[in-house]
Amino acid sequence: MASNKECLIIVLDVRTCAAEEVKLKSAKCVAEILKDKIVCDRKDYVSFVLVGCDTDEIKTEDASHPNVLPFGEPRLCSWQLLLEFFQFVNKTACEDGEWLNGLQAALKLQSVAATLRVARRRILLLFDFNDFPQDYEKFNEITDELLGENIDLIVGTHNISYIDNAITSQPQAIFNFSRKCGPDELNNQKYALSLVPRCNATLCSFKEALHTVFKVTNRRPWVWNAKLNIGSKISISLQGIIAMKNQTPVKLVKVWAEKDEIVIRETRHYIKGTEITPLPENLITGYMLGGTPVPYDEAVLEPKEPHPPGLHFFGFIKRNAVPDEYFCGESLYLLVHQKHNQSAAVKLDALVRALVSSDRAILCWKIYSTKFNRPQMVVLLPRLADDTHPATLYMLEVSYTSQHHFWDFPALRTTKTECSEEQLNAIDQLIDSTDLECTLRDTQQPRPWAQNDLLPFDALPSIFEQNVMDILERKVIYDNDKEDKMLKDKNFADVFWRVPDPLEEKSKRAAAIVKKLFPLRYSRAWQEKLLAKEQAENGVAVKSEPAEKEIPMPSDGVGLIDPVSDFRRVLASVHTISNATERDARFQTLAADTRVVIITLLQRRKQNIGQLGELITLYRQSCIDFNTFLEYDKFAEELKKIALAKNRSEFWQDVMVDKQLGPLVLGEPTLDDELALKAYYTIENWAESGANDMEDVEM
């Protein structure tokens, strides 16, 4: 079996000038990586390098790079290594330190990995590219060495955003723009960005750095050498390569007891679901065959002769005889002829052609090896040869009852959970009409996450797996730190059920998007569509309005000279757009321009009260027509804050109060709605409120 071990060297920035956020996130990132490798029982080698250590901490033999302290040779991951890392990262730090020197120290440690026979060598650099100068004289030399040695470099830092590359449409990391950036910081960021084309480095945020470390591809697949036996004459030598494997990330060892724990086994007896207490003479050691009890026989438990390993032909079946749902194995093997075996290649090619022409598949037994000698039914599906690959067979395992616990079956329906036909149809229509692929429209707008998908269902971590790792870490630290009782105060349940930060953040973002897409507010347009549909189903003739000719969109938009006329003209053009999505997008642009114009006019020393009232009235009515209630409610609150800050009492009374231009309340207002509107329109002590708000603004 091929080895897929890796050697990972992590370079951390501990300089006193580095941001505390970077240092804390770096330590947390390393802890998560170690916990994952320990719990998953990965045989990977890890070591660390600190950049920014005081010279007193560095030994003479490690002083080849100033202010750089290596941990030591790469070691297998263990809880002891995690504890030593927590001590190592707290070494005395100073202000100086070069990240290129840290990379050189990491490359020196990677040279040891050549003797460890690892399949992958990677370096993770966690650094703050701040406004402290760095020496880049050896930049080209180090990047060339990384490229030549085939060592992957992952660079993680804190002020990273993502946009889509204009050519490839793939996520591209950029530094967040800041006016406070000095020349040295800009130079550091320039060299960090140039690592991507120079040595194929991956530049990312801390969270994406974790995903990049965890997401690895096996360079050499597992291979299974076997023979396909058809009858007594035909035997084809094959090699099975795993094309897909279902792996459980958490690997735990079962133990009976630990320390003072007592484990006992209770035996209970039931008849038709009712617990009974039988006498010892009424019990029988055996099993039920139908309605007849059969006692166990010691001879039955004796080991049988092992089956010969390989694939044993059982019969031909129609290709469409077994539905795809019955294939539920732990892996998917791709069977090819044995390397350099011309006879096997010819036989397999002829077999595949015969299966394809007759639309058949092969049903056979699979015995993996003499040690793992459990026969399993598999189906071999043919795949013809082409320019890129030879004739092959896909081997799919047939589902057994014991494997059904991998499937998520819904709860059985009872009288309390039965749904009416109308409810089922309503849910069915909702599923059919929902767009599950929700992505950002503006891909050039910087975003904090790499993928453009706003609902990343496939990127959510498992709460159970994260909690297992957190609890084990807590237990290990507590057992090795008896003097410090800080961890004893933490509630065990709180630690166990704590939702991981990435999951909580993505869940909140997904929930916000869903709430935005499905607002729980009364929609007049939706009611009109529903009424029109009912009338059409009941045979009531619906007047079809003649299609309006689309008016071209004005290029000047809403101006400050005559905003009312401009708004009406642009709104008329928006109404003529036939595409609903484009129409809503154009209205959002118009609404944003209009809000800016209203705020600008309100902040002037002399206001045209009539013009403001007419413009806000038109905008409010258009928000009702386009179902943008939340946007107008937020804008109304903003108008109140500006009126208070600028002491615009005349505008407030003549426009907002007299014309009732406050937050939208559709339908018959409830008592709570009336009280909320009254609180909105009522402003007492104008001068005092305005003065207080102005003080807050100045502060």
Side-chain angles (χ1 to χ4, degrees):
M1 182 175 289
S3 170
N4 283 291
K5 297 182 293 185
E6 77 163 347
C7 180
L8 177 66
I9 310 298
I10 306 175
V11 183
L12 298 100
D13 184 6
V14 296
R15 297 172 302 162
T16 54
C17 63
E20 285 299 318
E21 175 193 5
V22 175
K23 291 188 277 190
L24 289 173
K25 286 186 176 180
S26 299
K28 185 178 180 182
C29 189
V30 175
E32 291 297 321
I33 292 171
L34 290 179
K35 284 190 294 182
D36 181 82
K37 291 184 181 297
I38 295 167
V39 173
C40 298
D41 197 24
R42 301 187 191 280
K43 307 301 181 184
D44 297 333
Y45 295 89
V46 178
S47 187
F48 320 103
V49 175
L50 299 184
V51 176
C53 279
D54 193 23
T55 52
D56 296 337
E57 296 280 357
I58 302 174
K59 299 177 183 178
T60 308
E61 60 269 18
D62 296 332
S64 55
H65 305 291
N67 305 111
V68 172
L69 179 61
F71 176 77
E73 290 189 358
R75 288 163 44 183
L76 290 173
C77 295
S78 63
W79 293 113
Q80 184 61 36
L81 180 64
L82 179 63
L83 293 171
E84 292 180 16
F85 165 73
F86 286 143
Q87 296 173 349
F88 178 68
V89 81
N90 288 315
K91 297 287 186 181
T92 306
C94 65
E95 195 174 79
D96 300 324
E98 305 276 343
W99 61 270
L100 283 175
N101 290 339
L103 285 183
Q104 279 190 308
L107 284 168
K108 187 177 179 181
L109 290 175
Q110 283 287 8
S111 62
V112 180
T115 61
L116 301 175
R117 297 181 62 190
V118 293
R120 186 186 306 107
R121 293 190 293 168
R122 296 194 291 177
I123 295 176
L124 173 62
L125 172 64
L126 304 173
F127 201 79
D128 182 8
F129 298 94
N130 54 13
D131 201 14
F132 278 73
Q134 298 276 315
D135 182 15
Y136 293 103
E137 183 179 349
K138 296 184 178 179
F139 179 80
N140 291 341
E141 177 186 339
I142 295 172
T143 53
D144 290 342
E145 185 176 356
L146 283 168
L147 196 62
E149 293 289 334
N150 198 20
I151 297 175
D152 298 334
L153 176 63
I154 305 168
V155 183
T157 187
H158 64 303
N159 56 337
I160 287 291
S161 292
Y162 292 88
I163 60 173
D164 282 358
N165 189 289
I167 300 174
T168 62
S169 298
Q170 294 298 315
Q172 177 182 344
I174 59 172
F175 280 95
N176 291 323
F177 175 74
S178 174
R179 297 182 183 276
K180 298 180 181 179
C181 283
D184 289 323
E185 185 171 359
L186 290 174
N187 189 49
N188 293 337
Q189 292 179 1
K190 181 189 77 172
Y191 276 97
L193 288 169
S194 62
L195 284 171
V196 178
R198 284 284 307 178
C199 58
N200 296 326
T202 304
L203 180 64
C204 48
S205 60
F206 282 102
K207 289 180 181 178
E208 293 297 331
L210 267 181
H211 297 159
T212 308
V213 170
F214 293 152
K215 186 178 180 181
V216 294
T217 56
N218 295 320
R219 296 186 177 179
R220 290 191 289 169
W222 290 278
V223 174
W224 174 51
N225 294 318
K227 287 190 176 184
L228 172 59
N229 301 302
I230 303 176
S232 59
K233 299 292 183 182
I234 302 176
S235 179
I236 306 175
S237 298
L238 301 175
Q239 284 186 330
I241 303 171
I242 289 185
M244 181 177 67
K245 188 170 179 64
N246 179 21
Q247 289 183 306
T248 304
V250 176
K251 185 175 181 180
L252 301 177
V253 179
K254 184 189 293 184
V255 294
W256 284 112
E258 187 176 359
K259 294 184 179 176
D260 299 329
E261 296 175 354
I262 299 175
V263 179
I264 59 174
R265 176 177 291 178
E266 293 184 358
T267 303
R268 299 187 178 186
H269 304 86
Y270 295 86
I271 294 180
K272 294 183 178 179
T274 305
E275 185 176 359
I276 61 168
T277 308
L279 297 174
E281 57 267 20
N282 295 334
L283 296 176
I284 181 172
T285 303
Y287 59 94
M288 301 297 291
L289 180 61
T292 308
V294 181
Y296 283 125
D297 189 353
E298 294 298 329
V300 178
L301 302 178
E302 291 180 0
K304 297 181 180 179
E305 283 291 323
H307 299 284
L311 295 166
H312 302 276
F313 175 80
F314 189 78
F316 292 107
I317 60 172
K318 290 185 178 180
R319 171 62 184 85
N320 55 357
V322 183
D324 291 342
E325 287 79 7
Y326 283 94
F327 300 126
C328 179
E330 294 181 354
S331 60
L332 173 66
Y333 269 88
L334 181 68
L335 301 177
V336 298
H337 65 272
Q338 207 168 62
K339 196 172 183 181
H340 304 308
N341 192 330
Q342 189 65 26
S343 174
V346 173
K347 291 179 184 178
L348 183 60
D349 186 74
L351 177 62
V352 168
R353 290 176 185 275
L355 291 173
V356 171
S357 62
S358 59
D359 195 23
R360 291 290 191 273
I362 295 179
L363 188 67
C364 61
W365 290 105
K366 180 194 80 170
I367 292 99
Y368 187 77
S369 64
T370 307
K371 182 180 179 182
F372 301 102
N373 206 252
R374 181 170 61 91
Q376 198 164 11
M377 188 71 78
V378 295
V379 175
L380 305 183
L381 301 180
R383 180 184 176 188
L384 283 172
D386 58 19
D387 295 337
T388 58
H389 62 81
T392 55
L393 293 168
Y394 273 115
M395 184 176 72
L396 299 95
E397 297 175 356
V398 180
S399 169
Y400 290 93
T401 308
S402 62
Q403 293 174 331
H404 285 175
H405 68 276
F406 288 112
W407 295 357
D408 294 327
F409 287 104
L412 294 176
R413 189 169 64 173
T414 64
T415 53
K416 293 183 179 180
T417 60
E418 283 184 356
C419 296
S420 64
E421 194 67 28
E422 291 79 10
Q423 288 174 313
L424 290 173
N425 290 336
I427 295 297
D428 191 40
Q429 291 177 6
L430 175 63
I431 293 172
D432 291 340
S433 61
T434 302
D435 182 13
L436 293 179
E437 186 175 316
C438 184
T439 56
L440 286 172
R441 298 182 186 277
D442 186 5
T443 59
Q444 297 305 309
Q445 185 70 24
R447 57 183 184 271
W449 57 92
Q451 295 302 322
N452 194 17
D453 192 1
L454 296 176
L455 300 176
F457 296 113
D458 59 339
L460 298 178
S462 167
I463 299 178
F464 171 73
E465 293 170 7
Q466 186 68 40
N467 289 340
V468 168
M469 294 192 291
D470 290 346
I471 294 304
L472 289 175
E473 179 191 23
R474 175 181 182 272
K475 187 173 181 179
V476 167
I477 294 175
Y478 178 72
D479 288 346
N480 288 271
D481 198 8
K482 296 293 184 183
E483 298 179 1
D484 188 359
K485 301 301 180 185
M486 289 178 62
L487 288 171
K488 209 169 186 179
D489 300 330
K490 291 186 179 179
N491 189 351
F492 184 85
D494 291 342
V495 176
F496 186 84
W497 293 112
R498 180 181 62 195
V499 181
D501 294 338
L503 175 61
E504 189 175 16
E505 178 183 326
K506 291 179 180 178
S507 300
K508 287 180 178 178
R509 190 167 75 235
I513 297 298
V514 172
K515 287 180 181 177
K516 184 179 179 181
L517 296 176
F518 301 96
L520 302 177
R521 300 288 294 270
Y522 176 84
S523 172
R524 183 177 298 171
W526 173 255
Q527 293 294 331
E528 290 175 357
K529 289 179 182 178
L530 197 61
L531 180 61
K533 185 178 179 180
E534 290 177 357
Q535 289 176 348
E537 291 176 353
N538 296 332
V540 180
V542 182
K543 294 181 180 179
S544 58
E545 299 180 0
E548 299 182 53
K549 187 178 179 182
E550 187 170 323
I551 304 173
M553 180 65 65
S555 58
D556 48 354
V558 180
L560 294 172
I561 300 174
D562 192 3
V564 177
S565 300
D566 294 342
F567 182 82
R568 284 176 174 158
R569 179 165 46 85
V570 178
L571 185 63
S573 174
V574 170
H575 276 299
T576 61
I577 298 174
S578 56
N579 187 300
T581 305
E582 185 181 356
R583 183 171 62 246
D584 292 342
R586 292 288 178 86
F587 175 74
Q588 291 292 341
T589 305
L590 171 63
D593 293 343
T594 307
R595 290 194 292 268
V596 172
V597 169
I598 292 173
I599 292 173
T600 305
L601 293 174
L602 183 58
Q603 290 178 338
R604 287 181 173 178
R605 292 187 178 181
K606 292 183 180 181
Q607 293 89 36
N608 187 338
I609 300 298
Q611 187 185 61
L612 273 172
E614 189 176 0
L615 183 58
I616 296 175
T617 304
L618 287 171
Y619 172 58
R620 189 174 188 269
Q621 183 58 44
S622 65
C623 287
I624 296 174
D625 296 338
F626 282 87
N627 298 324
T628 56
F629 311 109
L630 295 176
E631 283 81 355
Y632 185 81
D633 291 352
K634 292 178 183 178
F635 181 61
E637 292 294 336
E638 189 176 358
L639 286 178
K640 183 175 181 180
K641 290 179 182 178
I642 296 173
L644 276 168
K646 299 291 184 179
N647 201 11
R648 303 287 192 252
S649 56
E650 183 183 356
F651 158 78
W652 189 257
Q653 185 62 41
D654 294 349
V655 176
M656 301 301 292
V657 178
D658 292 349
K659 296 187 178 184
Q660 294 291 294
L661 298 179
L664 293 167
V665 178
L666 300 179
E668 195 67 29
T670 62
L671 179 60
D672 292 338
D673 293 335
E674 291 178 355
L675 291 175
L677 286 174
K678 185 178 179 181
Y680 175 80
Y681 288 123
T682 304
I683 298 179
E684 298 177 357
N685 303 325
W686 270 96
E688 183 180 344
S689 300
N692 291 339
D693 284 336
M694 289 300 289
E695 289 177 6
D696 293 340
V697 171
E698 290 174 4
M699 292 175 66

